[in-house]
């Protein structure tokens, strides 16, 4: 598989010309330094040109996008949220891929598998990261307070699925007991799912229907925990007729509101295979899942992405 890509960053301790660390609600994150520019079909205007924070996508295909943002503070009572927005210039076609946290001074991380179909004459596809939350300030205590990498896979398809834990209609945090699965219950409408990867919403189980190699990555917004020795979530795999085994682990050594991220590559030899992301702390330990909370928006408590890579 041939891959082309770009990487841009944003200075924290010394912002570039015209770059402010204060980000208003609805404002696009602007990057000031190009680190990798190996795809001429992905263009971005750096100073002294007008920096809009918008990436122009000149080729159809499948793209893997990863981004990180470090926030220092913000206003309001809700948490903070930054969305990757894919658009073809028509509002109805905008698709948001979120990275969110129940706390404001946090490290935000997100990934997305996006598909740009055949580009029609006169049509422009763009990518940008937008502050969906309240006004905030990015950190000036780190060398880099924002980064984005965009990789274009040159092959016929890259098939994956995204699942979220929303619990529609429930505004209070929910709890996950020791050994219990994160209750993923939603498949976003913007994600074209791989038919061989499906969610059982009643249990939070993810089922892969074909053997192969899969890339998993996830994020869990933890609002609180009764743990005394840190917080842990484990990806557990159960192949048909076999005992459950650990397939991936993400941990935090501290017990405080945070977003815990993890990723792992898993080989599936026997199908179907079932996966859960579970509370891996032992004993009578519960984790409380919060998320970005704002009137009119559902809380994003957790998400998991599964991509079939081979």
């Amino acid at each position: 598989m041939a891959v082309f890509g770009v990487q841009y960053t944003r200075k924290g301790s010394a912002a570039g010309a015209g770059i402010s660390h204060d980000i208003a609600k609805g404002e696009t994150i602007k990057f000031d330094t190009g680190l990798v520019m190996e795809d001429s079909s992905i263009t971005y205007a750096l100073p002294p040109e007008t920096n809009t924070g918008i990436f122009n996508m000149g080729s159809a295909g499948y793209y893997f996008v990863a981004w990180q943002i470090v926030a220092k503070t913000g206003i309001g009572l809700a948490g903070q949220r930054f969305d990757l927005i894919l658009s073809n210039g028509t509002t109805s076609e905008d698709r948001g891929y979120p990275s969110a946290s129940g706390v404001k001074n946090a490290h935000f991380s997100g990934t997305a598998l996006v598909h740009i179909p055949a580009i029609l004459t006169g049509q422009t596809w763009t990518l940008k990261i937008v502050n969906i939350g309240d006004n905030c300030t990015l950190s000036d205590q780190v060398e880099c307070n924002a980064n984005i990498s965009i990789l274009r896979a040159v092959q016929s398809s890259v098939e994956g699925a995204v699942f979220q834990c929303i619990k529609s209609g429930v505004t209070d945090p929910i709890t996950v007991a020791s050994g219990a699965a994160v209750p993923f219950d939603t498949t976003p409408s913007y994600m074209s799912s791989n038919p061989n990867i499906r969610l059982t919403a009643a249990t939070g189980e993810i089922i892969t229907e074909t053997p192969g190699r899969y890339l998993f990555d996830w994020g869990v917004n933890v609002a609180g925990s009764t743990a005394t020795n840190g917080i842990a979530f484990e990806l557990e795999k159960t192949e048909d007729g076999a005992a459950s085994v650990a397939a991936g682990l993400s941990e935090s050594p501290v017990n405080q509101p945070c977003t815990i991220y993890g990723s792992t590559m898993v080989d599936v030899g026997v199908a179907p295979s079932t996966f859960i992301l579970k509370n891996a702390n032992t004993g009578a330990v519960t984790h409380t899942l919060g998320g970005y909370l704002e009137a009119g928006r559902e809380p994003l408590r957790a998400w998991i992405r599964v991509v079939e890579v081979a």
Side-chain angles (χ1 to χ4, degrees):
M1 178 179 70
V3 176
F4 298 87
V6 301
Q7 181 183 5
Y8 286 81
T9 189
R10 173 190 174 103
K11 297 183 179 70
S13 56
I19 301 291
S20 171
H21 291 317
D22 296 325
I23 310 296
K25 181 181 179 69
E27 184 177 344
T28 298
I29 301 294
K30 299 180 177 65
F31 301 91
D32 59 17
T33 304
L35 299 180
V36 177
M37 290 170 280
E38 297 294 333
D39 192 334
S40 59
S41 70
I42 305 174
T43 58
Y44 184 89
L46 289 169
E49 297 182 51
T50 301
N51 189 343
T52 62
I54 296 175
F55 292 86
N56 290 290
M57 314 298 289
S59 294
Y62 290 82
Y63 294 81
F64 182 79
V65 187
W67 66 95
Q68 301 175 6
I69 299 171
V70 184
K72 180 180 180 180
T73 187
I75 65 172
L77 299 177
Q80 199 65 36
R81 174 171 169 173
F82 299 92
D83 277 18
L84 177 76
I85 304 294
L86 171 68
S87 176
N88 70 356
T90 303
T91 303
S92 62
E93 290 295 325
D94 283 0
R95 306 173 192 177
Y97 302 80
S99 57
S101 175
V103 295
K104 293 188 177 292
N105 57 333
H107 175 273
F108 297 82
S109 179
T111 59
L113 178 66
V114 303
H115 178 218
I116 296 177
I119 300 177
L120 304 178
T121 301
Q123 191 178 61
T124 301
W125 284 86
T126 61
L127 279 175
K128 61 183 178 179
I129 296 179
V130 176
N131 175 16
I132 301 298
D134 292 313
N135 297 353
C136 70
T137 300
L138 302 190
S139 176
D140 57 1
Q141 302 300 310
V142 294
E143 183 177 348
C144 167
N145 60 24
N147 181 82
I148 187 170
S149 298
I150 306 172
L151 299 179
R152 176 166 59 96
V154 185
Q155 63 183 62
S156 59
S157 67
V158 178
E159 296 187 326
V162 175
F163 307 114
Q164 298 175 341
C165 175
I166 300 292
K167 291 297 177 185
S168 182
V170 179
T171 57
D172 295 330
I174 62 173
T175 58
V176 179
S178 178
V182 174
F184 295 108
D185 60 358
T186 302
T187 302
S189 59
Y190 56 76
M191 183 65 199
S192 298
S193 293
N194 181 334
N196 296 320
I197 306 170
R198 59 184 175 87
L199 173 70
T200 303
T203 60
E205 294 177 331
I206 298 165
I207 299 172
T208 55
E209 298 283 5
T210 57
R213 178 165 293 171
Y214 295 82
L215 172 65
F216 286 76
D217 64 310
W218 62 86
V220 184
N221 288 321
V222 180
S225 175
T226 61
T228 58
N229 59 343
I231 301 169
F233 289 91
E234 177 184 284
L235 184 70
E236 181 181 89
K237 178 180 75 169
T238 305
E239 292 193 343
D240 189 31
S244 299
V245 296
L249 182 67
S250 56
E251 297 179 281
S252 172
V254 295
N255 176 18
Q256 64 182 23
C258 62
T259 303
I260 297 181
Y261 300 98
S263 63
T264 188
M265 193 83 74
V266 181
D267 286 324
V268 173
V270 178
S273 289
T274 301
F275 293 84
I276 62 169
L277 185 66
K278 71 177 187 179
N279 174 353
N281 288 80
T282 57
V285 172
T286 59
H287 301 323
T288 304
L289 306 190
Y292 176 87
L293 301 174
E294 182 185 42
R297 290 186 180 274
E298 299 281 12
L300 177 63
R301 306 177 195 274
W303 57 266
I304 189 167
R305 189 181 335 274
V306 188
V307 180
E308 187 176 2
V309 296

